[in-house]
């Protein structure tokens, strides 16, 4: 009789779900198992048959639990004895094969089948059981985690069947509930959150009895909000090595990663941020050559060439004018030799040749003009006057531009090129800057930025806050950020509540709560930093309704002027020494 009603029972349990991917594992201990296999093969073409005799094959089980599309559901039907079923679930637990995409259906003849599996199952294995009560009656139950974090089975219906008749079932609820709706209420469960002290994200407080509790931080606001809406509390446990951890070279897993992988914790939360580059604040450029900063090198070269050319140009105009005047005067004097003195433009000309300045005097006076020292040469002709006029206008404009730019350079410090992008980081490597990522704590890496001249690639918020703790003026955060990192909650493999946490996190991010908590922590840190630093000693003078900082020019502002004075004094001394030596030999 039992052999004739079991196929009808299994089809009844799976029919509402319309599965298109079924794996049947059987060991011939159930009466009528051959008929069940035959019925399934005829009804569903995508049916995989695996035998569990003499023992379950782990390799076949691995293939069955992993070789399917992640968006599909796979139904694993176990038609085995209680011992074989328990062995299969031990394999699942030992290899972390739990998945919310897998539905387990266990059909057994033992009335206490549910109690037999309680100590074997873990959260993440979604198991439905049909256990026989008598020859015609089967009880259906579904596994769940109660408020004390213990696996339990809840009865959801019964099924009766007789030989030669269609079985009837009465279900109070679906055998497999909707996971998202099911975990919208954790029923007051106390979850374990693995964390390390990582303020401003997850700050911890150590009590007198060595108990660790959450203090404040962005992640704590996130997990508190999740607990409020999903009805759970949590306690914090710090991993023994107090590290984030990960897979080591020898294959071992450490830190928080190990706690999650081995199900020592229900969740671990990580920061929500974007990646930025933290480097040493650009050093102020030396002012020893500040007098040269207003113009580029090419501009200085052109100015030197123009200044050198204006002397010969003025001399050329004066020379041509002198020759023309000399020719005119000689002709005029020949005609009026016996007439007496003649007057030309108020100057008495007795046939004497007017003086002509040398080219070196023209060059020197052109230089005097460009440094606003005036011109000592007379302009006796209009062509020469026009040359001087254009040169005066050029020098006035040049002086105004130079003086204004030099004032800006001297009063507003100039700095080396900062690292604002990945391209700048590549260029900075040529200057000895070494790129680094987190090895240890963020605080240690921030300190190495100053001590070892490294560029630290890390989350923007964490880097900014830890830079404030060390002294924000010592660091530069790149303007261009990259690689946005969404908020992540690490859950054990196959944790069925992961979709619910993802849904709630997405809503908090979209509502702007996470950004608000970021700003709050930054504001608190800035206020703490301002209260701890001494008052600014900068002199201030009131201008209108506001205040403007007065910056006195120090000796380092005028280093360039002293350098020029010293250099040309040395050149002059060399020239004088040369003349003395030449005069001695002559």
């Amino acid at each position: 009789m039992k052999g004739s009603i079991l196929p009808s029972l299994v089809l009844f349990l799976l029919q509402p779900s319309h599965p298109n991917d079924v794996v049947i594992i059987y060991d011939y201990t159930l009466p009528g198992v051959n008929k069940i296999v035959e019925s399934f093969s005829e009804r569903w073409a995508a049916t995989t048959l695996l035998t569990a005799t003499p023992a379950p094959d782990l390799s076949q089980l691995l293939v069955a639990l992993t070789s399917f599309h992640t968006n599909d559901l796979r139904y694993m039907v176990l038609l085995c004895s209680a011992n074989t079923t328990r062995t299969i679930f031990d394999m699942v637990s030992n290899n972390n094969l739990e998945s919310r995409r897998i539905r387990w259906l266990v059909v057994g003849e033992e009335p206490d089948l549910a109690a037999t599996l309680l100590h074997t199952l873990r959260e993440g294995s979604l198991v439905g059981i049909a256990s026989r009560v008598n020859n015609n009656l089967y009880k259906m139950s579904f596994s769940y985690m109660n408020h004390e974090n213990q696996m339990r089975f809840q009865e959801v219906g019964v099924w009766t069947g007789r030989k030669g008749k269609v079985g009837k079932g009465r279900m109070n609820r679906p055998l497999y509930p909707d996971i998202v709706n099911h975990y919208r209420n954790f029923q007051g469960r106390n979850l374990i959150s693995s964390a390390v002290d990582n303020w401003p994200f997850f700050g911890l407080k150590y009590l007198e009895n060595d108990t660790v509790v959450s203090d404040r931080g962005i992640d704590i606001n996130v997990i508190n909000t999740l607990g409020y809406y999903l009805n759970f509390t949590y306690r914090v446990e710090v991993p023994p090595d107090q590290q984030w951890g990960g897979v080591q070279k020898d294959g071992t897993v450490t830190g928080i990663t190990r706690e999650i992988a081995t199900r020592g914790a229900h969740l671990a939360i990580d920061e929500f941020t974007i990646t930025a580059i933290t480097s040493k604040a650009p050093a102020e450029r030396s002012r020893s050559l500040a007098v040269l900063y207003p113009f580029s090198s090419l501009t200085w070269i052109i100015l030197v060439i123009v200044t050198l050319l204006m002397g010969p140009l003025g001399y050329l105009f004066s020379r041509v004018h002198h020759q023309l005047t000399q020719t005119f005067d000689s002709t005029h004097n020949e005609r009026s030799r016996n007439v007496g003195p003649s007057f030309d433009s108020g100057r008495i000309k007795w046939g004497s040749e007017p003086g002509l300045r040398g080219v070196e005097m023209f060059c020197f006076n052109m230089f005097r003009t460009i440094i606003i020292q005036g011109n000592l040469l007379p302009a006796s002709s209009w062509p020469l006057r026009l040359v001087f006029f254009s040169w005066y206008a050029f020098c006035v404009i040049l002086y105004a531009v130079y003086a204004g730019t030099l004032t800006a350079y001297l009063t507003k410090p100039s700095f080396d090129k900062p690292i604002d992008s990945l391209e700048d980081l590549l260029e900075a490597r040529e200057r000895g800057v070494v790129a680094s990522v987190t090895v240890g704590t963020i605080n240690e890496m921030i300190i190495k930025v100053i001590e070892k001249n490294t560029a630290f690639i890390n989350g923007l918020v964490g880097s900014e806050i830890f830079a404030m703790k060390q002294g924000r003026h010592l660091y530069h955060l790149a303007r261009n950020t990259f690689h946005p990192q969404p908020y992540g909650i690490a859950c054990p493999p196959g944790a069925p509540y992961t979709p619910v946490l993802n849904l709630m996190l997405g809503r908090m991010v979209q509502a702007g709560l996470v950004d608000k908590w970021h700003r709050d922590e930054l504001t608190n840190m800035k206020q703490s930093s301002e209260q701890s630093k001494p008052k600014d000693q900068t002199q201030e003078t009131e201008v209108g309704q506001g205040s403007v900082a007065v910056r006195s020019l120090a000796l380092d502002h005028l280093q360039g002027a002293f350098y020029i004075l010293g250099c040309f004094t040395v050149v002059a001394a060399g020239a004088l020494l040369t003349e003395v030596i030449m005069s001695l030999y002559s």
Side-chain angles (χ1 to χ4, degrees):
M1 179 185 300
K2 292 181 289 185
S4 62
I5 65 175
L6 280 180
S8 179
L9 169 62
V10 175
L11 294 176
F12 166 77
L13 294 175
L14 294 180
Q15 187 66 40
S17 303
H18 301 288
N20 57 6
D21 195 349
V22 179
V23 177
I24 299 178
I25 304 177
Y26 59 98
D27 64 357
Y28 299 105
T29 58
L30 290 182
V33 67
N34 291 329
K35 190 171 184 61
I36 296 176
V37 172
E38 181 181 349
S39 300
F40 264 79
S41 301
E42 293 176 355
R43 185 176 294 269
W44 288 292
T47 300
T48 303
L49 304 177
L50 301 177
T51 60
T53 55
D57 189 342
L58 177 59
S59 61
Q60 291 183 348
L61 184 63
L62 287 173
V63 173
L65 295 178
T66 57
S67 61
F68 66 100
H69 197 278
T70 56
N71 293 326
D72 295 334
L73 292 177
R74 171 162 286 188
Y75 284 81
M76 304 290 295
V77 182
L78 300 185
L79 306 176
C80 306
S81 64
N83 290 334
T84 302
T85 301
R86 187 167 56 249
T87 301
I88 291 175
F89 281 113
D90 284 338
M91 291 180 177
V92 172
S93 300
N94 295 335
N95 293 276
N96 289 324
L97 296 176
E98 291 89 352
S99 173
R100 61 180 179 273
R101 298 291 181 183
I102 295 177
R103 303 288 189 266
W104 294 88
L105 175 59
V106 180
V107 180
E109 294 293 296
E110 298 85 352
D112 59 344
L113 180 59
T116 303
L117 297 179
L118 278 180
H119 301 291
T120 303
L121 297 179
R122 298 191 306 186
E123 188 173 21
S125 292
L126 309 179
V127 181
I129 289 182
S131 57
R132 185 173 65 86
V133 178
N134 54 46
N135 289 341
N136 301 318
L137 179 64
Y138 281 82
K139 177 177 66 175
M140 273 73 73
S141 304
F142 175 74
S143 63
Y144 73 100
M145 186 71 72
N146 67 1
H147 66 282
E148 297 179 350
N149 291 324
Q150 297 176 343
M151 289 296 297
R152 292 290 183 266
F153 279 95
Q154 179 181 358
E155 184 176 342
V156 296
V158 295
W159 183 88
T160 57
R162 294 182 180 275
K163 183 179 180 179
K165 295 183 179 180
V166 178
K168 296 181 180 180
R170 183 177 71 253
M171 304 293 290
N172 300 325
R173 47 170 288 183
L175 182 60
Y176 303 103
D178 181 81
I179 294 299
V180 175
N181 291 329
H182 180 74
Y183 278 97
R184 287 183 185 274
N185 185 358
F186 279 75
Q187 301 177 355
R189 291 174 55 184
N190 185 253
L191 305 182
I192 300 175
S193 176
S194 184
V196 294
D197 192 6
N198 185 34
W199 186 85
F201 299 102
F202 211 113
L204 300 180
K205 180 188 297 184
Y206 290 84
L207 304 181
E208 295 180 355
N209 57 356
D210 294 333
T211 303
V212 182
V213 296
S214 58
D215 186 11
R216 64 188 180 95
I218 301 171
D219 294 349
I220 293 177
N221 289 327
V222 172
I223 196 172
N224 287 342
T225 304
L226 290 174
Y228 175 80
Y229 283 100
L230 298 179
N231 188 22
F232 68 82
T233 59
Y234 68 95
R235 70 178 187 272
V236 179
E237 290 191 1
V238 180
D241 55 7
Q242 299 185 5
Q243 298 292 328
W244 292 102
V247 180
Q248 306 302 309
K249 294 181 178 179
D250 58 358
T252 59
V253 185
T254 60
I256 293 178
T257 306
R258 179 183 181 277
E259 298 300 316
I260 294 298
T262 59
R263 294 178 175 261
H266 293 94
L267 56 90
I269 191 169
D270 196 6
E271 63 184 280
F272 173 86
T273 184
I274 52 180
T275 305
I277 304 173
T278 304
S279 57
K280 184 187 298 185
E284 187 174 350
R285 296 175 62 184
S286 173
R287 295 188 178 92
S288 59
L289 299 178
V291 293
L292 302 178
Y293 290 166
F295 299 141
S296 64
S297 301
L298 178 61
T299 304
W300 279 116
I301 293 175
I302 294 176
L303 288 177
V304 171
I305 294 175
V306 171
T307 303
L308 294 177
L309 290 179
M310 289 304 298
L313 180 64
Y315 173 78
L316 177 63
F317 275 72
S318 179
R319 177 76 177 179
V320 172
H321 173 72
H322 171 72
Q323 291 180 350
L324 293 176
T325 303
Q326 189 177 38
T327 302
F328 175 78
D329 286 347
S330 61
T331 305
H332 180 73
N333 291 335
E334 182 68 26
R335 294 177 179 178
S336 58
R337 179 174 302 172
N338 300 320
V339 178
S342 63
F343 297 87
D344 184 7
S345 302
R347 179 171 60 87
I348 300 177
K349 296 184 177 181
W350 294 98
S352 61
E353 188 173 299
L356 179 63
R357 304 284 182 172
V359 65
E360 68 280 359
M361 290 299 298
F362 275 91
C363 291
F364 181 71
N365 277 273
M366 291 299 180
F367 175 73
R368 284 176 53 87
T369 306
I370 200 171
I371 60 174
I372 317 299
Q373 293 300 312
N375 177 31
L376 301 180
L377 293 178
S380 57
S381 66
W382 277 106
L384 187 59
R385 291 168 186 165
L386 292 177
V387 170
F388 281 141
F389 174 78
S390 62
W391 182 241
Y392 295 159
F394 173 82
C395 291
V396 169
I397 297 174
L398 183 68
Y399 176 79
V401 173
Y402 177 83
T405 307
L406 181 60
T407 302
Y409 269 107
L410 293 177
T411 56
K412 182 179 180 181
S414 58
F415 299 90
D416 295 333
K417 184 178 180 181
I419 300 177
D420 280 324
S421 64
L422 293 174
E423 291 78 7
D424 294 340
L425 179 58
L426 293 177
E427 296 179 3
R429 292 180 60 186
E430 300 177 358
R431 305 195 300 268
V433 178
V434 179
S436 64
V437 294
T438 304
V439 180
T441 65
I442 299 179
N443 194 48
E444 293 174 354
M445 299 305 299
I446 288 293
I447 295 176
K448 289 182 179 179
V449 169
I450 301 298
E451 295 180 349
K452 298 185 178 181
N453 194 24
T454 62
F456 180 40
I457 302 176
N458 190 58
L460 175 61
V461 177
S463 297
E464 184 172 5
I465 290 181
F466 279 96
M468 287 182 182
K469 294 175 66 176
Q470 299 297 328
R472 183 63 178 84
H473 63 285
L474 300 175
Y475 299 89
H476 175 76
L477 294 175
R479 298 178 182 273
N480 298 330
T481 57
F482 57 96
H483 187 48
Q485 301 174 10
Y487 230 106
I489 293 185
C491 301
Y497 46 80
T498 302
V500 181
L501 299 182
N502 287 337
L503 179 63
M504 295 300 297
L505 277 176
R507 291 179 177 177
M508 283 191 288
V509 173
Q510 292 174 2
L513 290 176
V514 177
D515 291 335
K516 174 188 178 300
W517 295 326
H518 280 179
R519 293 192 299 269
D520 290 345
E521 293 299 330
L522 288 175
T523 301
N524 294 335
M525 188 62 200
K526 289 179 181 178
Q527 292 176 351
S528 301
S529 300
E530 291 175 357
Q531 293 175 359
S532 61
K533 69 180 181 181
K535 294 183 179 179
D536 190 10
Q537 301 298 324
T538 305
Q539 299 177 352
E540 291 187 350
T541 178
E542 298 295 329
V543 179
Q545 301 298 323
S547 61
V548 177
V550 176
R551 182 169 184 161
S552 302
L553 294 180
L555 181 61
D556 61 337
H557 294 84
L558 302 177
Q559 292 181 37
F562 284 100
Y563 284 163
I564 292 177
L565 177 61
C567 290
F568 279 92
T569 301
V570 171
V571 172
L576 178 60
L577 180 61
T578 302
E579 290 185 356
V580 171
I581 295 175
M582 292 178 64
S583 63
L584 292 177
Y585 280 99
S586 62

